[in-house]
Amino acid sequence: MSTPKEKSTQALRWNIVDQTLSQGLNLSINIVLMWYLIDLDFGVVVVPMVVLGFFRVIQDLGYSNALIHHRDLDQSDLSSVFWFLIFLGFLFTAIMYLMAPVVSWWTENEYSGDAVRQLSPVIAVTSLYWISESLLIKRLQFKKIFMANLIAISVSGIIAIYLAAHGWAYHSLVIKALVHVVLVCAGYFILSGWWPSFKYDRGSVQKLGSYSFPLAIEQGLSELAKNFDSIIISRFLGSASVGLYDRAYKLVTYPVRQFSAGYNK
């Protein structure tokens, strides 16, 4: 039987493997997509992805951190938070969907507004697996997280490349995001072995909600600040320019993002 130190060391190794291979595979897929897509295709989804990233950061209101660090949680606690996060997920999905006209106006590109609507379901699907992911992290089961991520990235990437090669333009990037989140959701649910009960206790939600709500807001604002340059470029230089800038920026900052992603977990 492994000691806590050995489990932690093994979990760290799998986390490093996950971040290195996942981001490396993502980078390779995006390089291949560059052969089939033009700057405008990438630019269309830049601001929608920023909006999506903001909502994904704040949508759990810090509950995932609370679940990871809080001890003695029972099925009632987990199920109560699960149903509350489902509610928040669909609420933020609706808000993002309604933001489409604003994004179209800001980017002066109606396709960016369409991309916002098409990407909004990602928030609802993400809300389904917060509990499962948190439990996997809490149990230090990073090998299972790696397996789910690897399958999701590989399958969604192959589909995106096929669609891009057959003229689906920016839609291939949208479908890539949708397929990826669905596969991650299914993988986390299956590998965590946890399923919700039809229980809701408001006390459980309130008990865990005060744990890291301020942190969630701070992270959301940080996400917007991090992408402020892309938002401004999309307004004044157009979608094609921001598409080129975004790809170049992500390529240059790839080593930093890889390190920070692994460190944060």
Side-chain angles (χ1 to χ4, degrees), residues 168-212:
W168 282 61
Y170 78 89
H171 293 290
S172 59
L173 300 174
V174 172
I175 293 174
K176 176 177 178 288
L178 292 171
V179 172
H180 178 267
V181 74
V182 169
L183 291 178
V184 167
C185 181
Y188 285 176
F189 254 111
I190 294 172
L191 295 175
S192 70
W194 179 85
W195 299 93
S197 303
F198 291 100
K199 298 179 180 179
Y200 182 79
D201 182 0
R202 186 177 179 182
S204 297
V205 174
Q206 292 177 335
K207 174 180 67 176
L208 295 170
S210 60
Y211 185 85
S212 53

Side-chain angles (χ1 to χ4, degrees), residues 53-62 88 92 216-217 219-221:
F54 170 76
F55 280 116
R56 292 190 71 177
V57 167
I58 69 167
Q59 74 174 102
D60 77 325
L61 300 182
L88 290 179
F92 287 136
I217 300 301
Q219 290 175 336
L221 295 176

Side-chain angles (χ1 to χ4, degrees), residues 56-99:
R56 292 190 71 177
V57 167
I58 69 167
Q59 74 174 102
D60 77 325
L61 300 182
Y63 278 97
S64 58
N65 288 325
L67 292 170
I68 292 171
H69 297 100
H70 205 289
R71 297 182 179 181
D72 302 323
L73 295 177
D74 56 25
Q75 178 69 5
S76 178
D77 293 326
L78 296 175
S79 297
S80 298
V81 173
F82 175 83
W83 295 117
F84 181 67
L85 292 180
I86 294 294
F87 166 75
L88 290 179
F90 280 89
L91 174 63
F92 287 136
T93 296
I95 294 174
M96 180 173 172
Y97 186 92
L98 294 174
M99 288 182 64

Side-chain angles (χ1 to χ4, degrees), residues 115-152:
V116 168
R117 296 187 185 94
Q118 294 160 3
L119 286 168
S120 60
V122 171
I123 303 175
V125 177
T126 301
S127 67
L128 293 170
Y129 69 72
W130 279 121
I131 304 296
S132 298
E133 181 184 30
S134 298
L135 290 175
L136 288 172
I137 294 174
K138 188 172 186 176
R139 300 167 185 164
L140 300 179
Q141 295 177 326
F142 286 95
K143 181 179 180 180
K144 293 183 178 181
I145 293 176
F146 163 69
M147 292 169 58
N149 289 339
L150 183 64
I151 293 173

